[in-house]
Amino acid sequence: MPEATFKDYVLDQLKHVSGVSARAMFGGFGIYKNATMFGLIAEDELFLKVDDANRADFEARKCKPFVYHTQGRKPVTMSYWRLPDDVLDDPEALKQWAMKAIDAALKAKKAAPQPRRSSHAGLRPPRRR
């Protein structure tokens, strides 16, 4: 199945989760709820965000995390795990797994350090006399 067709299938399966969209990225797609990425599509596979609250669901189904390789560097394992095929084919089950992934993504977003503002932000230049 071509990547765009698989993306369309995933979005159709997620139609019961409001605010879901896909954005092209690095040869695949990020899956978002509003502005929060909770999934990714790579090589016609769907991966969802995982944390301590939903990792056991993926481990129990023998799922594996997304790993990418870059030339000359060690493989990088991300906190997105492959979704079982039968869950993808069941919109109600997918909604439950997606909601847990969205919660994981929101928690990670809150925990991420916020960009520092310049200490000069909001300061006016000295007045000339």
Side-chain angles (χ1 to χ4, degrees), residues 52-88:
D52 291 340
N54 65 345
R55 184 173 290 109
D57 297 337
F58 289 86
E59 290 173 342
R61 300 293 299 274
K62 308 283 190 239
C63 300
K64 300 291 181 196
F66 179 74
V67 178
Y68 70 90
H69 304 271
T70 56
Q71 193 171 14
R73 294 187 181 202
K74 293 181 182 179
V76 177
T77 302
M78 297 183 66
S79 61
Y80 292 84
W81 288 47
R82 187 177 186 283
L83 186 72
D85 291 333
D86 65 306
V87 173
L88 180 58

Side-chain angles (χ1 to χ4, degrees), residues 13-124:
Q13 293 297 92
L14 286 166
K15 67 185 170 200
H16 300 295
V17 181
S18 65
V20 173
S21 64
R23 297 183 200 154
M25 58 181 287
F26 307 112
F29 295 92
I31 305 298
Y32 292 80
K33 174 162 172 65
N34 302 324
T36 302
M37 185 172 152
F38 71 94
L40 65 89
I41 295 173
E43 299 178 10
D44 285 342
E45 294 181 332
L46 177 60
F47 297 82
L48 294 180
K49 183 74 171 171
V50 172
D51 69 1
D52 291 340
N54 65 345
R55 184 173 290 109
D57 297 337
F58 289 86
E59 290 173 342
R61 300 293 299 274
K62 308 283 190 239
C63 300
K64 300 291 181 196
F66 179 74
V67 178
Y68 70 90
H69 304 271
T70 56
Q71 193 171 14
R73 294 187 181 202
K74 293 181 182 179
V76 177
T77 302
M78 297 183 66
S79 61
Y80 292 84
W81 288 47
R82 187 177 186 283
L83 186 72
D85 291 333
D86 65 306
V87 173
L88 180 58
D89 294 334
D90 179 349
E92 282 304 312
L94 177 58
K95 181 178 180 178
Q96 293 172 356
W97 286 62
M99 296 309 290
K100 289 180 181 181
I102 292 164
D103 288 344
L106 288 170
K107 284 189 274 184
K109 199 173 186 179
K110 277 186 179 179
Q114 299 300 313
R116 292 184 54 166
R117 291 182 58 181
S118 168
S119 60
H120 301 289
L123 297 179
R124 295 182 192 178

